Each structure stands twice: as C-alpha cells, then as structure tokens.
Amino acid sequence: MNTSRTGFQAGWLNLEQELVLLLTATINIKGMPKAYPTVPEQRQEDYYNSLKYYINFHPRIKKILFVENSGWPLERLQETTQENPHNKQIEFISLDANDFPRNFGKGYGETLLIEQGILKSALVKESSYIAKITGRIYLLNMTDILERVKSPFECLCDFKWPIWQQLQNKQNNPSYADTRFLVFSKCFYESYLQPMHKNHQQGCFYSEHQYYQAINLASQSANVCKRFPVEPKFSGIAGHFGGKDYNSRSEQLKYAIRVLTRQTMSWLYL
C-alpha cells in the first residue's frame, strides 16, 4: 500500500504536536438503512485493519483517537497497539450513542459521535486541531494533503459540486462538503460545527450538505480552505452505495479525471 511522502517538515501546521487524527466507527449499526456492511464482526475487522494502517504509516501524525458509538467491546481494536513503530499516542473511547431514530441517518450519528468523543478525549485536550477521517477507509496521501497547505486555516475541507446531477437539472442536489476527511481547529468546531446537528428536523440528516452550509457560512468570518491542494487518494470499501470499492477500475478512472481537473480547472469543484 502506498504511503505519503515523509522525512521532512513542510506546511505550517505542526502535525506531531498540534493535530489529533479522529477515526469514527460504528461496529453495530443496529438496523441503520443503507449502511454497509451490516455484520458487526466484519465491520470490526475493517476498523481493525484501517487503524493498523494509520498506526504504521503517516509517521508525522503522532496522535490517534478511535471513537466507537455502538457500545461494542474494543478489545480487538486495542490489539492494534501491540506494534507501534512510530510510538504514536493512541486513545480509545467507547460510546453508547447509536439509538437515535434510524430515519435521522448515519451522518447524524457521526456528528453525535464527534461531539461526545471530543468532549471525552484526553488527546483532544492537548491538541489544537482535529483531523476527522471515516474510520473504515484509508486516505493514502493524508500527510501530503496536510503538508501542502502553506497558509494558516481554521478549517480545511473539500467542497464538491455535483455536476452530473446539475446537468440532469436535478435542483435538489446542491453543493456539499466531502465529509470523509475534514480538519478543523477546536475553536472552529465549537463555534460552527458542534451546534450543527441541533438544528436537525425530523427526516434524514444529510451531513454533507449540513457541513457545507455551516462551513460556507463560517467562511465569511473564519479562515476556511475549501479545497484540498491535491486530490485525496482513498482506498478501501465505502460504507454506502452497497460497498463501493475505491480500488475498482471505475473509481480509479474517476480519480484520474479529478486529478486532472484539479490541476487544470481548479475552479471546477468536481
């Protein structure tokens, strides 16, 4: 598996001291519609493998926080720390916060997980920034993304424009934020993101659109970077669309197109 470039200092953010990587996890989905896979033991192994990846690679990221929200025992996940070649600090938090109405959607559950995990975490208390990653997937060039940002920010995200839906005149598909990977300061989170889910109304909570609206509004007064400096390189199996494989030929083709677009038409948030 490829890893990000390492071995030198770059960018402005002190990754070793200021940043904690937050992996979000739900092992027992408890009937959540459209979640994939559905078997808890399979999900546990997926999280186990992704956590081992983040422990073994990206050596500049020294703090990892793993938060699980279904009350599942974490002994298996804690076995990942038996080999820790870069001496990373690793914290595990178990929550019982996955009993909200299923029609709210899994994005709503993740916002609750992030809120409660941040409040309980010792690593967050000693850090200035939080990088949130969806826990079952791999971001192969995470360090590269962070190192290439040269200017200070309070929030780093990747805005998207659903071009195919717009071309089909589907007006109910506004722009959105890619919530697989987000970076924000603790102050930014408390001011703009923490209260986001409290505005939820009955019905599905589309976190990608909620994050987009909250971050876009915050950008009027806060320092927001709305576009990653390079195209994110994801690997693994998605938890939606029936388990989309990021390593499939079709996804690799999409990735190549997005790389080219980001380099030649950076204004097109594809």
Side-chain angles (χ1 to χ4, degrees), residues 162-180:
I163 185 171
W164 309 120
Q165 290 88 343
Q166 293 297 321
L167 290 175
Q168 296 172 16
N169 295 318
K170 294 183 178 180
Q171 299 301 319
N172 61 338
N173 288 282
S175 299
Y176 63 95
D178 188 339
T179 59
R180 292 172 294 182

Side-chain angles (χ1 to χ4, degrees), residues 68-262:
E68 201 281 331
N69 74 339
S70 70
W72 190 269
L74 299 183
E75 288 82 1
R76 171 62 174 161
L77 281 303
Q78 291 167 342
E79 292 176 6
T80 57
T81 63
Q82 294 175 1
E83 295 183 7
N84 186 358
H86 304 293
N87 297 313
K88 299 189 179 188
Q89 299 180 66
I90 306 165
E91 181 180 12
F92 294 87
I93 294 179
S94 176
L95 303 172
D96 190 5
N98 193 27
D99 291 322
F100 55 89
R102 301 293 86 179
N103 65 321
F104 281 22
K106 56 189 179 73
Y108 178 82
E110 187 179 61
T111 61
L112 293 179
L113 178 156
I114 293 170
E115 179 184 46
Q116 295 185 26
I118 287 175
L119 290 174
K120 293 177 179 292
S121 171
L123 285 180
V124 168
K125 287 182 174 63
E126 62 185 40
S127 305
S128 302
Y129 282 81
I130 300 159
K132 173 267 170 189
I133 183 76
T134 300
R136 291 177 56 254
I137 60 175
Y138 310 81
L139 180 51
L140 304 184
N141 60 344
M142 177 187 294
T143 304
D144 197 25
I145 291 172
L146 295 170
E147 287 180 338
R148 286 177 181 267
V149 181
K150 304 301 183 182
S151 302
F153 64 82
E154 295 172 75
C155 179
L156 170 66
C157 59
D158 215 31
F159 279 4
K160 299 286 188 179
W161 180 51
I163 185 171
W164 309 120
Q165 290 88 343
Q166 293 297 321
L167 290 175
Q168 296 172 16
N169 295 318
K170 294 183 178 180
Q171 299 301 319
N172 61 338
N173 288 282
S175 299
Y176 63 95
D178 188 339
T179 59
R180 292 172 294 182
F181 182 64
L182 292 163
V183 186
F184 43 80
S185 71
K186 288 192 295 187
C187 291
F188 185 91
Y189 175 77
E190 292 167 359
S191 299
Y192 302 108
L193 301 181
Q194 184 176 19
M196 184 173 57
H197 68 277
K198 293 181 174 63
N199 297 324
H200 174 66
Q201 303 296 321
Q202 290 292 330
C204 192
F205 178 89
Y206 294 103
S207 60
E208 293 85 356
H209 301 316
Q210 294 287 342
Y211 273 100
Y212 173 83
Q213 293 171 8
I215 294 172
N216 201 40
L217 182 62
S219 67
Q220 298 177 15
S221 54
N223 192 350
V224 174
C225 181
K226 301 179 181 179
R227 198 72 170 145
F228 293 160
V230 293
E231 182 68 24
K233 179 67 171 175
F234 292 104
S235 182
I237 306 297
H240 55 286
F241 301 125
K244 178 174 65 176
D245 183 358
Y246 289 114
N247 299 319
S248 67
R249 182 174 299 179
S250 61
E251 288 301 311
Q252 291 299 309
L253 177 60
K254 289 180 185 177
Y255 171 75
I257 293 173
R258 286 170 174 155
V259 168
L260 180 61
T261 302
R262 197 178 294 254

